[in-house]
Amino acid sequence: MKHLHRKTKAVLIFGGGTALLFFLSFLHLYQSSQGMGWSVVLQALQNEGDTVQHSIVRSVYLPRIALGLIAGAALAAAGVIFQTLTKNPLAAPSTLGVHAGAYFFVVAGAALGSTGPAWLFGSGFLFAFLGGSLAAVLVFVLSGGINATPVRMALAGLVLSLMFSSFTAALQIFFEYETAGLFLWGNGSLVQQDWSGVLFALPWAAVITIVIFTISRQMDIMLLGSDQAKVLGEKTKRIQVIMFFLAVGLSALTVSVAGPIAFIGLIAPHLMRLAGFQLHSLLIPASMLWGANILIGADILGRFLDPSLTEMPVGSVTALIGAPWLIWLVLKHRGSFFGSGSRESISGSRLSFRLPYPVVLTGSAFLLITVFFIGMAGGSTGFEWGQTWQALFTDEASGQRFIIFDLRLGRMLAACAAGMLLAASGLLFQGILRNPLADPSVIGVTAGAGVGALSVLFFFSSLSAAWLPAGAIIGAFLTVAIVLFFSWKTQFHPAVLALMGIAISAAGGAITQILIVRSNLNAASALTWLSGSTYASGFNELQMFLTWPLIIIIPTCFFLLGSLNILALGDNNAIGLGVPLTAVRWFSIILATFSAAMAVAAVGTIGFIGLVAPHLARLLVGEDYRRIFPVALLLGAALLVGADAAGRIIIAPKEIPSGLVAAIIGAPFFLWLMSRTKK
């Protein structure tokens, strides 16, 4: 009876999946061919007729479906292998940063001068493979190697994705002409002009799939653990290396022909595991079949939602589907994911020596003053030290005085205040999560703020640009409200809260991409705003969005710092010491969200300031939040002021968005810090 049940299940999964795939393929073809008549499509399928319409069906519509089948199957297989290799149910090419690394390397290759489909399908695959391999190795090492937990690995993947995305955006801004054709493709697209992409991908996918099935038995044994596999005579290191390169190869192959498409490698394997498949000989082909179904269905859904735009990025649609799936996955399996010790914090790294606190505080203030003066003196013609000093401390009228007080001072003060708000927000989120690797980007605030601002631009185009900050603030609070709603059932479990933020950020990023494409916004302009820019900020933004929040938030935070110190000891200890956990968390989250939202309203979606400034302060002064807070504010201000100055000076008269400079400066430093953190 049990054997009959397994056979029935296999028939339903494989037979039903195949039937659904045929149905979706014909539905996709019907959706594409509206207006030309189904008879023309049938003639094209039978290789009859030679009109332009027949040619479009054969060279545009059919390759798009074929590529969807290959890409969906490849991503699903890669997800299965990554999950087996890392023993992490959250592992997938998108959550491990493989897509972001691969895409960055492809864009870098295009910026270096290689263009055209032939390059993308040839050398682009090599670049994508190198980038994906680098990202996967970094995530594995930074999250703790063989002792990595799913939470740390997911957070490491998020940070690496943010870093590579920032680098990619910088390249797309600097090399707008060379990378102009990669923006839509970079969001994941199945659009094809001929069969070249399919003909390139198919042989590689077939060879890799054959190798995967060859080692499927060894992968089954790896599920027992490395020690047990060694006892059974398996060469575990060799199998692990082969699995790694197979999974990265499939991910890179997909990126090179269709761009980064998220969450297929997460959804399909879990669907098949829920159906009862555990052994790889059945799990992998079933996942590949349903991965193809999901991707083709997502492409259909995207064009159904926007029939006027047949090139909506399919990667954005899969992200919208995958984000709720990740939320459900985390909520359903949080116990097995995080284990009994999951509520413990991730402690930060420490220096081997300790400077006196007054020295650290004074040094931080001196750093801010120095960076501020450098920013005031620097411009497109170099540094004007003497003239800047005279302009600041004398009443003598000069051209430099006009430049400083009318053009630079308001902008730099806005950067200073925004850096403080972001640092305060990051510190509060880190205290709530008991995780020094958290910040507004992790909780989804910046992504939600970006969606809110662009939504105002898209849905209320008649409104003036002054309403964009209002949209950013609303979007940030709605995002956090969603995260809190799903985290409420877990009593604000720190790891669950962080993973919820990752999922919401993915959905927010997808919506942002869709709005940019549908609005026909200039890619470079959109990337500049989304990357965070102090270019248009000044005294108005300082007065409207930054000064009064600082006046409210800084004194209020001082009342919370003692509770955050106690909260770091654990929930039970905090309750025993009389801390109202729920009230403290709610109030801290609202305050942190408000801080980040006001900063985004003034200077755009800037990341890494809220990560690096509090963590660096903790590195210098220890774990006492009352000592960390003032130092973090000063360092956050110094980082953003320095990023603004560097963005103006490095390639003057052009400007680099300050958010990208902050990422380029902060990401490597943060990765070093993360490699030193202890569980």
Side-chain angles (χ1 to χ4, degrees), residues 144-498:
I146 58 175
N147 297 318
T149 64
V151 176
R152 287 179 62 88
M153 195 168 288
L155 290 174
L158 171 68
V159 173
L160 262 296
S161 296
L162 289 173
M163 183 188 74
F164 281 121
S165 297
S166 298
F167 293 166
T168 302
L171 288 176
Q172 289 179 309
I173 291 172
F174 299 152
F175 301 94
E176 183 178 1
Y177 176 77
E178 292 84 353
T179 63
L182 297 180
F183 183 74
L184 177 65
W185 172 84
N187 295 322
S189 176
L190 299 179
V191 176
Q192 300 292 296
Q193 300 301 323
D194 52 40
W195 285 90
S196 57
V198 175
L199 294 177
F200 172 80
L202 185 59
W204 282 101
V207 170
I208 294 175
T209 301
I210 291 172
V211 177
I212 289 173
F213 283 117
T214 302
I215 65 169
S216 61
R217 187 185 67 84
Q218 286 87 341
M219 286 193 285
D220 291 338
I221 296 175
M222 292 298 294
L223 292 174
L224 302 175
S226 298
D227 294 337
Q228 187 66 32
K230 289 179 182 178
V231 171
L232 294 174
E234 296 295 338
K235 297 180 179 179
T236 57
K237 295 296 183 183
R238 186 180 67 179
I239 295 298
Q240 288 171 339
V241 170
I242 293 174
M243 292 171 63
F244 174 83
F245 284 116
L246 290 174
V248 173
L250 288 173
S251 305
L253 180 65
T254 304
V255 170
S256 67
V257 295
I261 299 174
F263 287 109
I264 299 295
L266 187 68
I267 300 173
H270 280 289
L271 278 176
M272 295 305 99
R273 286 193 172 96
L274 288 174
F277 292 110
Q278 299 298 327
L279 298 180
H280 289 82
S281 58
L282 291 177
L283 176 62
I284 291 177
S287 298
M288 294 175 71
L289 174 61
W290 283 88
N293 273 317
I294 294 170
L295 187 53
I296 295 295
D299 203 28
I300 293 172
L301 177 61
R303 294 192 296 172
F304 173 78
L305 295 175
D306 182 22
S308 65
L309 185 66
T310 57
E311 281 137 22
M312 177 179 286
V314 69
S316 300
V317 180
T318 60
L320 289 176
I321 298 172
W325 181 268
L326 178 58
I327 291 173
W328 174 83
L329 194 63
V330 171
L331 290 176
K332 182 175 178 62
H333 301 287
R334 59 185 179 274
S336 60
F337 283 2
F338 309 126
S340 60
S342 59
R343 297 194 66 85
E344 298 302 320
S345 65
I346 301 175
S347 62
S349 55
R350 297 177 177 86
L351 292 177
S352 57
F353 60 92
R354 180 73 67 225
L355 295 172
Y357 183 71
V359 173
V360 175
L361 189 61
T362 304
S364 301
F366 180 76
L367 174 65
L368 174 58
I369 294 171
T370 302
V371 171
F372 200 93
F373 183 76
I374 292 173
M376 298 290 281
S380 59
T381 59
F383 294 93
E384 302 287 348
W385 306 108
Q387 294 183 25
T388 300
W389 184 269
Q390 292 178 359
L392 288 173
F393 298 104
T394 68
D395 295 331
E396 181 181 350
S398 65
Q400 187 71 6
R401 184 178 179 83
F402 169 79
I403 291 173
I404 289 175
F405 285 97
D406 288 55
L407 300 180
R408 293 180 186 166
L409 182 60
R411 171 177 177 169
M412 297 190 67
L413 286 173
C416 181
M420 288 185 176
L421 286 175
L422 289 171
S425 178
L427 182 64
L428 289 172
F429 279 128
Q430 290 166 17
I432 298 162
L433 297 173
R434 298 199 299 274
N435 178 359
L437 308 183
D439 93 319
S441 299
V442 173
I443 207 67
V445 175
T446 53
V451 171
L454 287 178
S455 296
V456 170
L457 183 66
F458 182 77
F459 293 106
F460 307 99
S461 56
S462 60
L463 297 177
S464 66
W467 286 93
L468 289 180
I473 295 170
I474 294 172
F477 273 98
L478 286 177
T479 300
V480 174
I482 294 172
V483 174
L484 293 179
F485 173 77
F486 286 110
S487 300
W488 173 63
K489 293 183 179 180
T490 65
Q491 298 179 339
F492 298 100
H493 190 298
V496 173
L497 191 61

Side-chain angles (χ1 to χ4, degrees), residues 23-24 32 45 66 114 157 176 228 231 236 260 316 371 470 480 483 556 568 606 612 644-645 653:
F23 171 76
L24 290 175
S32 301
L45 291 176
S114 301
E176 183 178 1
Q228 187 66 32
V231 171
T236 57
S316 300
V371 171
V480 174
V483 174
T556 307
I606 294 179
V612 175
D644 174 77

Side-chain angles (χ1 to χ4, degrees), residues 578-596:
V579 175
L581 289 183
T582 302
V584 169
R585 284 193 172 121
W586 272 98
F587 191 66
S588 298
I589 287 173
I590 292 173
L591 197 63
T593 303
F594 178 71
S595 301

